[in-house]
Amino acid sequence: ARHLFHEMSVHIKPNRQTFGKLIETAAKGGKQREALMWFKEMEAHRFMPNVVTYTALIDAAAKAGDLDAADSWRCEMVKRSIAPNRLSYGCLLDAAARQGDMNRAQQ
């Protein structure tokens, strides 16, 4: 993905949606570290994350079985006055289920 990003950047200036797609793609592949790398790259380009960005980060953490990281992303988005949506909460429930922590899922 990084190679394609650099190739694309020569012809097209990346925007928030570009980075959002890169984060989503990493999340779908269960690549939490790659999703985080793209998030940092997005911030370095001074694009503000939105609910889609944070939901993708929560999903990446969920697929990695990292409930603490998933919840941390939820907390960060709330701190930035971005309300989680149904998909955000669905990803958090997925993270809890993967850890077998249904008590935490019910909170």
Side-chain angles (χ1 to χ4, degrees), residues 5 7-14 18:
F5 173 77
E7 184 179 314
M8 179 202 75
S9 296
V10 171
H11 306 288
I12 302 167
K13 186 174 180 175
T18 306

Side-chain angles (χ1 to χ4, degrees), residues 17-63:
Q17 289 76 22
T18 306
F19 287 105
K21 265 303 179 201
L22 289 163
I23 293 166
E24 283 181 44
T25 300
K28 285 179 184 176
K31 299 176 180 177
Q32 183 178 14
R33 286 186 183 157
E34 187 175 328
L36 178 59
M37 185 248 343
W38 287 119
F39 178 74
K40 288 179 180 179
E41 185 88 15
M42 182 178 118
E43 288 190 317
H45 280 80
R46 299 184 187 262
F47 293 115
M48 297 299 295
N50 60 14
V51 67
V52 175
T53 307
Y54 280 112
T55 299
L57 291 164
I58 292 168
D59 190 37
K63 285 188 171 69

